Amino acid sequence: MTHVQRMAGLLAAALALSACDQLKPDAQKLQDRTVSLGFKTQEAVTVPFSGNWRVTDAPSWIHVSSQAGQGPVTVTFTADRQEATPVKADQPSLSGKVKISWTSGTGGQAVNGTAIWTVTAQQYALTGRLTQPAQVTGADVVTGVQAPAKTDLAPRGVIVKYRASGLLSAQSTTLRPAALGREQLQTAGIQVARQVSLSAQSAALDVKDVQGALRVLRSDPRVEYAVPNATLRAQAAAEPVVPTDQFAPLQWAYPLMGYGAVWRDMEGGAYSRAVTVAVVDTGVRFDHPDLTGQLWLPGEGAMDVIADTTNGDGDGADTDPTDPATPGRTAGSHGTHVTGIIAARWGTNSGACSGCSPSGVVGATYKANVKVLPVRVIDASGNASEADVTLGIRYAAGLPVTIDGVTFKTPHPAQVINLSLGGAISTEDARPMCEAIAEARAAGSLVIAAAGNGYGTVPYYPAACDGAVSVASVTLSGASAPMHSPFSNAYPQVQLAAPGGADPYSGATFNGGTFNGAAFPDMILSTSWDYAKNAPNYEAEVGTSQASPQVTALAALLLSKGVTTGPDDTLQRLRDTATDLGEAGRDDQFGFGMVNAAAALNAPQVSSGLGIRVQSAQGLSFQPPLDSTGAFRAYLGDGTYRVTGGTDVNGNGVYGESGEARDERTATLSEAAPQVTLGDLTPR
């Protein structure tokens, strides 16, 4: 070996040793690195280290098994992909940064630093295509665009029906109904352009002077009836009713439940049966101008059952359940808020106060014959005793209650009772309220209660009582289908869901509205009271307290229209027409689903359209885009998903609900099945 060869070999060896030193981890420092999960759910990582370390920050979708330690960093990263999946489900991969603070050495030799570990994960893919039931091409088919239906189209003449005895006397002259009618009209100077026999006793006569012809024919005792030959039209989708009250555009919950169609239906006058709804709550502000005429007043059945004279109004149980002002009170009136969701009046408020909105908000019941019976059981500090709630339920149902030796009984028993109250007490401790609910149900009242805002799975009472209808909260998701509100308790007794708003700390503004130029949060706006100014106002709140009266209002409308007649068939109708969310069938988050006012009340079609909704069993919703062929590719986390393709006829933007064309598939994505193809969804 030459000198040059020996030098070259030594240099190569030195370089090789240097490279090995670079690859060997520095046990005195933690370096930045990338951890790739690929399609896996978990990845274990061990890195040599001789000091102390602590995880100081990590995205919520990345769970780190150990938060701190001494010596080697040994952690397992677990990905909850669903939590990081955007609404559009359009990101093929996820990436998040985990920060680890570390210290090595001691005393004056100590060294501190921060390492950034980037965790990446591939998303799973769910693909399919939404197709129309028929796809035909040709040159001799046109699409008709119908003008809005007119209600003042002129009749095309008259229709006359003769009594059988009248025709018999006329048969001697061989006149049939058409000829007989023509002869009568021409004798009176009314020209008949055309005549058509409709039956052995009736005929249609084409005349210009319709009113004159009717007068002549109706004066003949041989005529059973004479009516205009009215002009009818092919029926397209009706126009939804959009309230014009000042703050109504911010009340996004009503369109979500299909109320534009319901209110159009209501203008036909069918909601005429009288219904009383009891709001068992803090009482109400009878002087709120947006509730004028909507309440049973003191002396008409309204009731305060709180006997404790320290409860806020200072006068014990009586027939005035006004939600009182107390020194330093700043919170609004909860009972007034709940009441407004059900029955706030429409249009200009009579006697509105100076500085108040002239029209405010609207309630769900619009023109229906529904009134609210206020029953006060919650004191001015926001608390209620179980005894008072028990009395309030029994009183609202029309049962007699005796307080301090005085017996009270309302002249207006409630067909529906709303309880936007509750607590995490035991089944045993809740027995008095549950017994009262059973009595109320037996008396003909449907009791609807808030499921609770505990962010967990603990049953809240009285909602969890047998006989009560426990209502969970949903909110907007940015996708077609709404999602479960994080605060809303989920447990086996939950039966239904309704809009109650987003987590107040989320900042969600999917409703798209603005107030004074700022995005309006996904909260429920209704009537309230400003106790600092002692004046009416409007307040945005969230909770199952706001979801419960949405169900209560719909139950009242079912009874008012006559779709149902009592508590049992009303509850069944609410269940049968609800929009199934989350897992297929009843589940703890949504019960049987979100109430669908348009479907429950057989409201007319007000829109048309075709789309999809994707829902996870965890209660989340996604909206992957469709391409020009109807195909979609949704990048999602592991879990079970329902994909529903369908039409939207009630204008709420949710496809394939009760009464709408639909095609639904279920698929499970996982590490073992990272891609699933659904094929074609063809709603029918």
Side-chain angles (χ1 to χ4, degrees), residues 59-87:
S60 60
W61 66 276
I62 300 174
H63 302 288
V64 187
S65 59
S66 298
Q67 297 298 309
Q70 184 176 13
V73 181
T74 301
V75 295
T76 298
F77 295 108
T78 303
D80 183 353
R81 289 173 169 87
Q82 272 195 44
E83 187 170 341
T85 301
V87 169

PDB file of all heavy atoms in Angstrom, residues 59-87:
ATOM      1  N   PRO A  59     -51.002  19.588  20.767  1.00  0.00           N
ATOM      2  CA  PRO A  59     -52.354  19.768  20.229  1.00  0.00           C
ATOM      3  C   PRO A  59     -53.331  18.811  20.909  1.00  0.00           C
ATOM      4  O   PRO A  59     -52.941  17.716  21.350  1.00  0.00           O
ATOM      5  CB  PRO A  59     -52.183  19.417  18.738  1.00  0.00           C
ATOM      6  CG  PRO A  59     -50.724  19.521  18.468  1.00  0.00           C
ATOM      7  CD  PRO A  59     -50.039  19.164  19.746  1.00  0.00           C
ATOM      8  N   SER A  60     -54.580  19.221  20.973  1.00  0.00           N
ATOM      9  CA  SER A  60     -55.577  18.404  21.678  1.00  0.00           C
ATOM     10  C   SER A  60     -55.794  17.045  21.030  1.00  0.00           C
ATOM     11  O   SER A  60     -56.214  16.094  21.689  1.00  0.00           O
ATOM     12  CB  SER A  60     -56.909  19.161  21.749  1.00  0.00           C
ATOM     13  OG  SER A  60     -57.387  19.457  20.443  1.00  0.00           O
ATOM     14  N   TRP A  61     -55.474  16.928  19.727  1.00  0.00           N
ATOM     15  CA  TRP A  61     -55.709  15.643  19.059  1.00  0.00           C
ATOM     16  C   TRP A  61     -54.558  14.663  19.244  1.00  0.00           C
ATOM     17  O   TRP A  61     -54.667  13.489  18.871  1.00  0.00           O
ATOM     18  CB  TRP A  61     -55.974  15.846  17.570  1.00  0.00           C
ATOM     19  CG  TRP A  61     -54.799  16.372  16.765  1.00  0.00           C
ATOM     20  CD1 TRP A  61     -54.429  17.664  16.618  1.00  0.00           C
ATOM     21  CD2 TRP A  61     -53.868  15.593  15.993  1.00  0.00           C
ATOM     22  NE1 TRP A  61     -53.320  17.764  15.810  1.00  0.00           N
ATOM     23  CE2 TRP A  61     -52.959  16.506  15.404  1.00  0.00           C
ATOM     24  CE3 TRP A  61     -53.713  14.243  15.734  1.00  0.00           C
ATOM     25  CZ2 TRP A  61     -51.917  16.102  14.583  1.00  0.00           C
ATOM     26  CZ3 TRP A  61     -52.672  13.827  14.915  1.00  0.00           C
ATOM     27  CH2 TRP A  61     -51.786  14.745  14.343  1.00  0.00           C
ATOM     28  N   ILE A  62     -53.452  15.124  19.846  1.00  0.00           N
ATOM     29  CA  ILE A  62     -52.316  14.246  20.115  1.00  0.00           C
ATOM     30  C   ILE A  62     -52.234  14.000  21.615  1.00  0.00           C
ATOM     31  O   ILE A  62     -52.020  14.927  22.404  1.00  0.00           O
ATOM     32  CB  ILE A  62     -50.991  14.866  19.620  1.00  0.00           C
ATOM     33  CG1 ILE A  62     -51.036  15.104  18.112  1.00  0.00           C
ATOM     34  CG2 ILE A  62     -49.814  13.963  19.982  1.00  0.00           C
ATOM     35  CD1 ILE A  62     -49.828  15.851  17.577  1.00  0.00           C
ATOM     36  N   HIS A  63     -52.420  12.761  22.017  1.00  0.00           N
ATOM     37  CA  HIS A  63     -52.350  12.398  23.425  1.00  0.00           C
ATOM     38  C   HIS A  63     -50.970  11.805  23.712  1.00  0.00           C
ATOM     39  O   HIS A  63     -50.530  10.873  23.026  1.00  0.00           O
ATOM     40  CB  HIS A  63     -53.445  11.398  23.782  1.00  0.00           C
ATOM     41  CG  HIS A  63     -54.826  11.911  23.482  1.00  0.00           C
ATOM     42  ND1 HIS A  63     -55.432  12.896  24.225  1.00  0.00           N
ATOM     43  CD2 HIS A  63     -55.703  11.593  22.494  1.00  0.00           C
ATOM     44  CE1 HIS A  63     -56.625  13.163  23.718  1.00  0.00           C
ATOM     45  NE2 HIS A  63     -56.808  12.386  22.659  1.00  0.00           N
ATOM     46  N   VAL A  64     -50.278  12.348  24.713  1.00  0.00           N
ATOM     47  CA  VAL A  64     -48.936  11.907  25.077  1.00  0.00           C
ATOM     48  C   VAL A  64     -49.035  11.101  26.367  1.00  0.00           C
ATOM     49  O   VAL A  64     -49.592  11.573  27.366  1.00  0.00           O
ATOM     50  CB  VAL A  64     -47.994  13.115  25.257  1.00  0.00           C
ATOM     51  CG1 VAL A  64     -46.565  12.632  25.478  1.00  0.00           C
ATOM     52  CG2 VAL A  64     -48.059  14.040  24.053  1.00  0.00           C
ATOM     53  N   SER A  65     -48.498   9.889  26.362  1.00  0.00           N
ATOM     54  CA  SER A  65     -48.699   8.966  27.486  1.00  0.00           C
ATOM     55  C   SER A  65     -48.044   9.458  28.777  1.00  0.00           C
ATOM     56  O   SER A  65     -48.570   9.241  29.870  1.00  0.00           O
ATOM     57  CB  SER A  65     -48.154   7.585  27.127  1.00  0.00           C
ATOM     58  OG  SER A  65     -46.757   7.661  26.825  1.00  0.00           O
ATOM     59  N   SER A  66     -46.885  10.111  28.673  1.00  0.00           N
ATOM     60  CA  SER A  66     -46.206  10.630  29.866  1.00  0.00           C
ATOM     61  C   SER A  66     -45.949  12.115  29.679  1.00  0.00           C
ATOM     62  O   SER A  66     -45.505  12.546  28.607  1.00  0.00           O
ATOM     63  CB  SER A  66     -44.879   9.902  30.091  1.00  0.00           C
ATOM     64  OG  SER A  66     -45.093   8.523  30.314  1.00  0.00           O
ATOM     65  N   GLN A  67     -46.189  12.878  30.712  1.00  0.00           N
ATOM     66  CA  GLN A  67     -46.047  14.325  30.618  1.00  0.00           C
ATOM     67  C   GLN A  67     -44.691  14.822  31.118  1.00  0.00           C
ATOM     68  O   GLN A  67     -44.291  15.937  30.793  1.00  0.00           O
ATOM     69  CB  GLN A  67     -47.166  15.013  31.406  1.00  0.00           C
ATOM     70  CG  GLN A  67     -48.555  14.730  30.865  1.00  0.00           C
ATOM     71  CD  GLN A  67     -48.730  15.247  29.447  1.00  0.00           C
ATOM     72  OE1 GLN A  67     -48.442  16.412  29.156  1.00  0.00           O
ATOM     73  NE2 GLN A  67     -49.206  14.378  28.562  1.00  0.00           N
ATOM     74  N   ALA A  68     -43.990  14.023  31.889  1.00  0.00           N
ATOM     75  CA  ALA A  68     -42.703  14.455  32.428  1.00  0.00           C
ATOM     76  C   ALA A  68     -41.916  13.242  32.885  1.00  0.00           C
ATOM     77  O   ALA A  68     -42.470  12.144  33.079  1.00  0.00           O
ATOM     78  CB  ALA A  68     -42.905  15.435  33.592  1.00  0.00           C
ATOM     79  N   GLY A  69     -40.596  13.439  33.054  1.00  0.00           N
ATOM     80  CA  GLY A  69     -39.778  12.335  33.517  1.00  0.00           C
ATOM     81  C   GLY A  69     -38.340  12.743  33.702  1.00  0.00           C
ATOM     82  O   GLY A  69     -37.944  13.885  33.450  1.00  0.00           O
ATOM     83  N   GLN A  70     -37.528  11.766  34.123  1.00  0.00           N
ATOM     84  CA  GLN A  70     -36.096  11.959  34.300  1.00  0.00           C
ATOM     85  C   GLN A  70     -35.393  10.816  33.592  1.00  0.00           C
ATOM     86  O   GLN A  70     -35.771   9.651  33.716  1.00  0.00           O
ATOM     87  CB  GLN A  70     -35.727  11.966  35.786  1.00  0.00           C
ATOM     88  CG  GLN A  70     -34.252  12.250  36.041  1.00  0.00           C
ATOM     89  CD  GLN A  70     -33.959  12.340  37.528  1.00  0.00           C
ATOM     90  OE1 GLN A  70     -34.780  11.971  38.353  1.00  0.00           O
ATOM     91  NE2 GLN A  70     -32.779  12.842  37.878  1.00  0.00           N
ATOM     92  N   GLY A  71     -34.382  11.142  32.824  1.00  0.00           N
ATOM     93  CA  GLY A  71     -33.686  10.131  32.051  1.00  0.00           C
ATOM     94  C   GLY A  71     -34.291   9.996  30.666  1.00  0.00           C
ATOM     95  O   GLY A  71     -34.869  10.953  30.129  1.00  0.00           O
ATOM     96  N   PRO A  72     -34.170   8.822  30.041  1.00  0.00           N
ATOM     97  CA  PRO A  72     -34.652   8.641  28.674  1.00  0.00           C
ATOM     98  C   PRO A  72     -36.113   9.060  28.510  1.00  0.00           C
ATOM     99  O   PRO A  72     -36.953   8.821  29.393  1.00  0.00           O
ATOM    100  CB  PRO A  72     -34.482   7.137  28.442  1.00  0.00           C
ATOM    101  CG  PRO A  72     -33.411   6.724  29.390  1.00  0.00           C
ATOM    102  CD  PRO A  72     -33.587   7.588  30.601  1.00  0.00           C
ATOM    103  N   VAL A  73     -36.405   9.706  27.379  1.00  0.00           N
ATOM    104  CA  VAL A  73     -37.779  10.116  27.074  1.00  0.00           C
ATOM    105  C   VAL A  73     -38.480   8.928  26.435  1.00  0.00           C
ATOM    106  O   VAL A  73     -38.166   8.551  25.297  1.00  0.00           O
ATOM    107  CB  VAL A  73     -37.802  11.333  26.136  1.00  0.00           C
ATOM    108  CG1 VAL A  73     -39.249  11.737  25.853  1.00  0.00           C
ATOM    109  CG2 VAL A  73     -37.030  12.485  26.740  1.00  0.00           C
ATOM    110  N   THR A  74     -39.389   8.335  27.162  1.00  0.00           N
ATOM    111  CA  THR A  74     -40.157   7.195  26.654  1.00  0.00           C
ATOM    112  C   THR A  74     -41.631   7.570  26.681  1.00  0.00           C
ATOM    113  O   THR A  74     -42.228   7.692  27.760  1.00  0.00           O
ATOM    114  CB  THR A  74     -39.908   5.941  27.515  1.00  0.00           C
ATOM    115  OG1 THR A  74     -38.512   5.632  27.485  1.00  0.00           O
ATOM    116  CG2 THR A  74     -40.697   4.757  26.971  1.00  0.00           C
ATOM    117  N   VAL A  75     -42.197   7.800  25.502  1.00  0.00           N
ATOM    118  CA  VAL A  75     -43.600   8.226  25.407  1.00  0.00           C
ATOM    119  C   VAL A  75     -44.277   7.481  24.260  1.00  0.00           C
ATOM    120  O   VAL A  75     -43.619   6.985  23.337  1.00  0.00           O
ATOM    121  CB  VAL A  75     -43.725   9.751  25.160  1.00  0.00           C
ATOM    122  CG1 VAL A  75     -43.203  10.536  26.341  1.00  0.00           C
ATOM    123  CG2 VAL A  75     -43.016  10.147  23.881  1.00  0.00           C
ATOM    124  N   THR A  76     -45.600   7.436  24.366  1.00  0.00           N
ATOM    125  CA  THR A  76     -46.422   6.906  23.269  1.00  0.00           C
ATOM    126  C   THR A  76     -47.354   8.007  22.801  1.00  0.00           C
ATOM    127  O   THR A  76     -48.075   8.605  23.621  1.00  0.00           O
ATOM    128  CB  THR A  76     -47.239   5.682  23.723  1.00  0.00           C
ATOM    129  OG1 THR A  76     -46.341   4.644  24.109  1.00  0.00           O
ATOM    130  CG2 THR A  76     -48.132   5.178  22.595  1.00  0.00           C
ATOM    131  N   PHE A  77     -47.318   8.281  21.513  1.00  0.00           N
ATOM    132  CA  PHE A  77     -48.221   9.267  20.923  1.00  0.00           C
ATOM    133  C   PHE A  77     -49.451   8.545  20.379  1.00  0.00           C
ATOM    134  O   PHE A  77     -49.321   7.582  19.612  1.00  0.00           O
ATOM    135  CB  PHE A  77     -47.528  10.031  19.791  1.00  0.00           C
ATOM    136  CG  PHE A  77     -46.381  10.876  20.252  1.00  0.00           C
ATOM    137  CD1 PHE A  77     -45.070  10.508  19.972  1.00  0.00           C
ATOM    138  CD2 PHE A  77     -46.602  12.034  20.974  1.00  0.00           C
ATOM    139  CE1 PHE A  77     -44.005  11.283  20.394  1.00  0.00           C
ATOM    140  CE2 PHE A  77     -45.543  12.819  21.410  1.00  0.00           C
ATOM    141  CZ  PHE A  77     -44.240  12.439  21.122  1.00  0.00           C
ATOM    142  N   THR A  78     -50.634   9.022  20.774  1.00  0.00           N
ATOM    143  CA  THR A  78     -51.898   8.460  20.280  1.00  0.00           C
ATOM    144  C   THR A  78     -52.672   9.569  19.585  1.00  0.00           C
ATOM    145  O   THR A  78     -52.868  10.646  20.162  1.00  0.00           O
ATOM    146  CB  THR A  78     -52.739   7.884  21.432  1.00  0.00           C
ATOM    147  OG1 THR A  78     -51.965   6.901  22.121  1.00  0.00           O
ATOM    148  CG2 THR A  78     -54.017   7.249  20.899  1.00  0.00           C
ATOM    149  N   ALA A  79     -53.105   9.305  18.364  1.00  0.00           N
ATOM    150  CA  ALA A  79     -53.795  10.330  17.571  1.00  0.00           C
ATOM    151  C   ALA A  79     -55.300  10.141  17.617  1.00  0.00           C
ATOM    152  O   ALA A  79     -55.804   9.042  17.371  1.00  0.00           O
ATOM    153  CB  ALA A  79     -53.318  10.276  16.120  1.00  0.00           C
ATOM    154  N   ASP A  80     -56.014  11.218  17.967  1.00  0.00           N
ATOM    155  CA  ASP A  80     -57.476  11.267  17.826  1.00  0.00           C
ATOM    156  C   ASP A  80     -57.752  12.094  16.575  1.00  0.00           C
ATOM    157  O   ASP A  80     -57.976  13.301  16.631  1.00  0.00           O
ATOM    158  CB  ASP A  80     -58.111  11.897  19.059  1.00  0.00           C
ATOM    159  CG  ASP A  80     -59.640  11.912  18.991  1.00  0.00           C
ATOM    160  OD1 ASP A  80     -60.194  11.549  17.935  1.00  0.00           O
ATOM    161  OD2 ASP A  80     -60.262  12.309  19.989  1.00  0.00           O
ATOM    162  N   ARG A  81     -57.721  11.448  15.422  1.00  0.00           N
ATOM    163  CA  ARG A  81     -57.795  12.159  14.153  1.00  0.00           C
ATOM    164  C   ARG A  81     -59.099  12.936  13.983  1.00  0.00           C
ATOM    165  O   ARG A  81     -59.120  14.008  13.386  1.00  0.00           O
ATOM    166  CB  ARG A  81     -57.621  11.171  12.995  1.00  0.00           C
ATOM    167  CG  ARG A  81     -56.209  10.608  12.837  1.00  0.00           C
ATOM    168  CD  ARG A  81     -56.190   9.510  11.783  1.00  0.00           C
ATOM    169  NE  ARG A  81     -54.857   9.102  11.399  1.00  0.00           N
ATOM    170  CZ  ARG A  81     -54.139   8.165  12.029  1.00  0.00           C
ATOM    171  NH1 ARG A  81     -54.650   7.581  13.111  1.00  0.00           N
ATOM    172  NH2 ARG A  81     -52.938   7.844  11.597  1.00  0.00           N
ATOM    173  N   GLN A  82     -60.192  12.378  14.504  1.00  0.00           N
ATOM    174  CA  GLN A  82     -61.483  13.066  14.336  1.00  0.00           C
ATOM    175  C   GLN A  82     -61.452  14.471  14.905  1.00  0.00           C
ATOM    176  O   GLN A  82     -62.023  15.398  14.345  1.00  0.00           O
ATOM    177  CB  GLN A  82     -62.606  12.265  15.010  1.00  0.00           C
ATOM    178  CG  GLN A  82     -63.245  11.228  14.115  1.00  0.00           C
ATOM    179  CD  GLN A  82     -64.556  10.739  14.699  1.00  0.00           C
ATOM    180  OE1 GLN A  82     -65.376  11.523  15.170  1.00  0.00           O
ATOM    181  NE2 GLN A  82     -64.761   9.434  14.655  1.00  0.00           N
ATOM    182  N   GLU A  83     -60.775  14.634  16.036  1.00  0.00           N
ATOM    183  CA  GLU A  83     -60.764  15.932  16.700  1.00  0.00           C
ATOM    184  C   GLU A  83     -60.078  16.996  15.859  1.00  0.00           C
ATOM    185  O   GLU A  83     -60.398  18.180  15.944  1.00  0.00           O
ATOM    186  CB  GLU A  83     -60.084  15.821  18.065  1.00  0.00           C
ATOM    187  CG  GLU A  83     -60.189  17.084  18.896  1.00  0.00           C
ATOM    188  CD  GLU A  83     -59.732  16.881  20.323  1.00  0.00           C
ATOM    189  OE1 GLU A  83     -59.676  15.721  20.760  1.00  0.00           O
ATOM    190  OE2 GLU A  83     -59.439  17.882  20.985  1.00  0.00           O
ATOM    191  N   ALA A  84     -59.113  16.567  15.014  1.00  0.00           N
ATOM    192  CA  ALA A  84     -58.375  17.524  14.192  1.00  0.00           C
ATOM    193  C   ALA A  84     -58.899  17.633  12.773  1.00  0.00           C
ATOM    194  O   ALA A  84     -58.418  18.459  11.996  1.00  0.00           O
ATOM    195  CB  ALA A  84     -56.901  17.126  14.149  1.00  0.00           C
ATOM    196  N   THR A  85     -59.904  16.824  12.433  1.00  0.00           N
ATOM    197  CA  THR A  85     -60.421  16.839  11.069  1.00  0.00           C
ATOM    198  C   THR A  85     -61.256  18.092  10.834  1.00  0.00           C
ATOM    199  O   THR A  85     -62.204  18.351  11.584  1.00  0.00           O
ATOM    200  CB  THR A  85     -61.284  15.590  10.799  1.00  0.00           C
ATOM    201  OG1 THR A  85     -60.487  14.427  11.005  1.00  0.00           O
ATOM    202  CG2 THR A  85     -61.816  15.593   9.374  1.00  0.00           C
ATOM    203  N   PRO A  86     -60.941  18.886   9.808  1.00  0.00           N
ATOM    204  CA  PRO A  86     -61.753  20.076   9.530  1.00  0.00           C
ATOM    205  C   PRO A  86     -63.126  19.693   9.003  1.00  0.00           C
ATOM    206  O   PRO A  86     -63.346  18.557   8.553  1.00  0.00           O
ATOM    207  CB  PRO A  86     -60.938  20.818   8.466  1.00  0.00           C
ATOM    208  CG  PRO A  86     -60.129  19.750   7.801  1.00  0.00           C
ATOM    209  CD  PRO A  86     -59.826  18.739   8.857  1.00  0.00           C
ATOM    210  N   VAL A  87     -64.063  20.627   9.052  1.00  0.00           N
ATOM    211  CA  VAL A  87     -65.437  20.359   8.629  1.00  0.00           C
ATOM    212  C   VAL A  87     -65.488  19.850   7.194  1.00  0.00           C
ATOM    213  O   VAL A  87     -66.255  18.938   6.872  1.00  0.00           O
ATOM    214  CB  VAL A  87     -66.294  21.635   8.777  1.00  0.00           C
ATOM    215  CG1 VAL A  87     -67.648  21.458   8.095  1.00  0.00           C
ATOM    216  CG2 VAL A  87     -66.497  21.964  10.249  1.00  0.00           C
TER     217      VAL A  87
END
